Amino acid sequence: MTRKIMNARGLALILLVVFVWGINFVIITIGIKDVPPFLLAGLRFSLVAFPLMLFLPKPTIPFRWLFSYGITMSFGQFSFLFYALYVGMPSGQASLLLQMQVFVTAILGVLIYQDTLNRWQLFGGIMALTGIGLLLYGVIETDISILGYLLTFCAACSWGVGNICNRHISIQYKGTNMLQLVVWGALIPIIPFFTFSLLFEDHQHIIHAITEPSLTSILALLYLSIVASLFGYSVWGMSIAKYGTANVVPFALLVPVIGLLSGWVILDEILNSIQFVGCAVIIIGLCVYSLNQKLIQWLQASRAEPNTIIEKPDES
């Protein structure tokens, strides 16, 4: 199938989604100051599912795969992420550490689908793991709980499992509409989130958040559900379908960059020198892993370039 060449409008939409997802972590951090994290997540997915599910048909996939997608991609990922930010995980570092889902997905792909990784991908993965080690070592000089980092990594693992579920759905049930999957998949985590909220969160805090919502919490909820989820996933999915995965997915590398910058600008989050180096190493590792094919093509082209020898004309 021939892919269209990306025009200025297509590029602008992709960059807008990247920006929306980048500051998403700051919005969550602001939102959980007024609303308990599990309650906020439950409300978010309620707005994603309703009322659109009344107008969008259910994706034609077995319920077990819809459940698997929703429980991993939505409930698992965001329960860990929201609670990590609640216990003090910096939003910028969370946006970066969550990208470990790339490597979790790759490892699961090797184990389940017998995918193969080239040396550039392995090198990128080792670099990213080294960067995580530096981030964790840098925590020693701060008052940040290590729990936030562990929870964020668990969120990345859940996202990785969700990617495998998504891959299975796309292979076995071709033509599945992404927006339908996002909306109907959002039904799955609603009850677990509200159950967790009732079991583990302060009931007075819950009542106050529901009966006397602040303008900040309302705006945060609308942003997370409508802008980040419905708009973001819809445009991203349509862009991949229109321009191809290889031309769109690398832009996701900008998400943690925007996440780090927005955390610094809006929330005054700072990195010590060790954490700064760790973040840089992770970003480089992600770039090497995600752009490995372009690196291989560039190296092959460089080696194939013939040495131009200029011969003097024969004067005899």
Side-chain angles (χ1 to χ4, degrees), residues 74 78 114 122 152 157 178 191 230 233 251 261 275 300:
S74 300
F78 290 103
Q114 287 75 53
L122 292 172
T152 307
C157 290
M178 187 64 186
I191 293 177
L230 294 177
Y233 284 115
F251 283 98
L261 288 174
Q275 289 175 316
Q300 288 175 343

Side-chain angles (χ1 to χ4, degrees), residues 103 119-129 284-286 288-289:
F103 304 108
R119 60 183 179 179
W120 285 104
Q121 289 173 304
L122 292 172
F123 179 65
I126 291 170
M127 283 195 71
L129 288 174
I284 294 171
L286 283 167
V288 170
Y289 179 88

Side-chain angles (χ1 to χ4, degrees), residues 65 68-74 77 101 104-105 108 155-169 178 181:
W65 284 109
S68 299
Y69 175 86
I71 210 69
T72 54
M73 189 70 82
S74 300
Q77 179 188 173
Q101 56 88 14
V104 175
T105 305
L108 292 175
C157 290
S158 187
W159 187 357
V161 176
N163 285 336
I164 295 299
C165 293
N166 197 14
R167 178 174 175 178
H168 179 85
I169 291 169
M178 187 64 186
L181 185 61

Side-chain angles (χ1 to χ4, degrees), residues 42 57 62-63 67 85 88 102 104-105 113 152 161 165 185 192 217 221 228 273 280 307:
F63 177 75
F67 179 83
L85 294 169
V102 171
V104 175
T105 305
Y113 293 101
T152 307
V161 176
C165 293
S217 63
L221 180 58
S273 56
N307 294 322

